[in-house]
Amino acid sequence: MKCDDLPCQADRLAPLAGYNRTTLPGLRILRSETVLEDVPVLYRPGAVFVLQGAKQGFLDGKVYRYDADHYLAVSVPVPFRMASQADPEHPLLALYLEFDLQLAAEIAIALDAVRETAPARARSLISSPMEPIMRALLGRVLAALADPQEGAILGRGLLRELHYRVLVGPQGDALRAALRQRGPAGRIVESLGRIRENFTAVLSVPDLAAAAGMSVPSYHAHFKQLTGTSPVRYIKAMRLHEARLMIARNHGSVASVAAEVGYQSASQFSRDFRKHFGRSAMEEARWVMWHLNDTTA
């Protein structure tokens, strides 16, 4: 039977609950039959295209919809809360694109050379309307994923076009502003990279502010503006999410993982973990494997 609409195409490519890997790097298809409420997530930079069902992201008092009519773009890793709607008869189906940051930067630079746009404020999360040209591109991407020959020959070009369409989309200016790493927002983006590389070490806000060339009050203000949270809470979320994946991968005992991500007290780690995820570390690890079928989310 011919399959023309996006949900049908995705359904055939994602037979398993959780994340289904594809033949193209950075692309996964999520299948979920569960209603989720108030789930902490930390997405890598990229875009999420919900083809069936609906999701909402909650950050700093704002709601970001990503459903059949909207997609979510993420410029920097930022912790937020998520809810989704799905059921066994109509599972949530979503295509996840993890940005190739070098490719995204190359496209952003090329766009700056040929377009004159007013400076935009960098944003970490952006919900954009699903335009017909994007919907058509997603259909071509899914068709290529279903055909090994097309995927091998056309796949890389389609990935480049997908990056391009996100960066020139309705709110692409705000997304490119974060990727350019210029001005105060650029220094915060660089600081987020520094945190990501050193989150297991002792990190002080004055040291992070100094490395970014900012006063502590200015660093706090610009950090909150981009991420929706404070530096201390961001570092804690980064440690907890990394620990979640390590435990799901059977990396070691809860105590050893707590120490590895920078906690000096295993009991404090357990309290923080339960407060953040609503479950113990082991309960959360089992939930990740059962619902996501993946240890990279």
Side-chain angles (χ1 to χ4, degrees):
M1 182 177 66
K2 190 173 181 181
C3 197
D4 292 323
D5 67 316
L6 298 182
C8 180
Q9 289 176 285
D11 182 68
R12 291 187 175 184
L13 292 165
L16 302 176
Y19 286 105
N20 293 257
R21 298 186 183 280
T22 74
T23 55
L24 294 180
L27 274 182
R28 297 176 293 161
I29 302 175
L30 174 67
R31 182 189 193 94
S32 174
E33 300 177 354
T34 306
V35 174
L36 300 177
E37 296 181 3
D38 196 31
V39 176
V41 292
L42 180 64
Y43 289 168
R44 297 180 179 127
V48 185
F49 306 91
V50 174
L51 310 176
Q52 180 171 278
K55 284 177 172 278
Q56 297 87 39
F58 307 94
L59 178 65
D60 196 26
K62 299 183 178 65
V63 179
Y64 298 85
R65 290 186 58 81
Y66 42 131
D67 52 23
D69 297 316
H70 305 82
Y71 64 92
L72 183 75
V74 183
S75 64
V76 294
V78 60
F80 62 100
R81 317 292 288 194
M82 179 272 293
S84 65
Q85 291 78 52
D87 61 62
E89 292 187 6
H90 300 91
L92 184 140
L93 296 164
L95 184 68
Y96 279 65
L97 168 68
E98 183 177 341
F99 282 157
D100 177 330
L101 292 178
Q102 182 176 345
L103 175 59
E106 288 174 0
I107 294 172
I109 291 170
L111 286 170
D112 286 346
V114 298
R115 292 166 58 129
E116 288 188 11
T117 57
R121 181 171 72 85
R123 294 168 58 189
S124 55
L125 297 182
I126 302 169
S127 177
S128 296
M130 182 81 80
E131 298 183 319
I133 195 167
M134 180 65 85
R135 199 180 301 276
L137 173 57
L138 293 177
R140 289 189 285 122
V141 169
L142 292 170
L145 291 174
D147 185 323
Q149 177 176 289
E150 287 199 10
I153 296 172
L154 302 178
R156 297 284 180 167
L158 289 170
L159 278 180
R160 183 178 183 85
E161 185 178 353
L162 194 51
H163 281 71
Y164 169 77
R165 289 298 171 197
V166 172
L167 291 173
V168 298
Q171 300 186 56
D173 290 347
L175 182 61
R176 294 199 310 277
L179 294 172
R180 285 191 195 102
Q181 297 192 13
R182 298 176 187 166
R187 282 180 275 169
I188 296 300
V189 173
E190 290 178 358
S191 186
L192 294 179
R194 189 174 294 110
I195 291 171
R196 182 69 186 88
E197 293 172 1
N198 302 284
F199 70 91
T200 61
V202 176
L203 295 172
S204 76
V205 174
D207 288 345
L208 289 169
M214 295 178 171
S215 68
V216 170
S218 177
Y219 182 78
H220 264 285
H222 287 289
F223 196 102
K224 179 74 159 41
Q225 186 178 66
L226 183 62
T227 69
T229 190
S230 71
V232 170
R233 289 182 177 176
Y234 186 93
I235 294 167
K236 180 184 288 187
M238 180 70 68
R239 288 172 172 165
L240 293 172
H241 278 274
E242 186 66 21
R244 175 188 191 234
L245 297 183
M246 292 170 68
I247 293 169
R249 296 170 183 148
N250 296 314
H251 192 81
S253 67
V254 172
S256 66
V257 167
E260 196 162 341
V261 299
Y263 271 82
Q264 297 182 344
S265 166
S267 60
Q268 183 63 52
F269 168 80
S270 295
R271 287 192 294 271
D272 287 349
F273 196 101
R274 183 176 287 277
K275 182 177 180 181
H276 190 74
F277 292 107
R279 286 181 281 264
S280 73
M282 295 309 298
E283 289 169 343
E284 180 66 14
R286 287 192 290 270
W287 186 92
V288 169
M289 293 305 297
W290 179 259
H291 289 274
L292 301 182
N293 189 33
D294 190 273
T295 56
T296 61

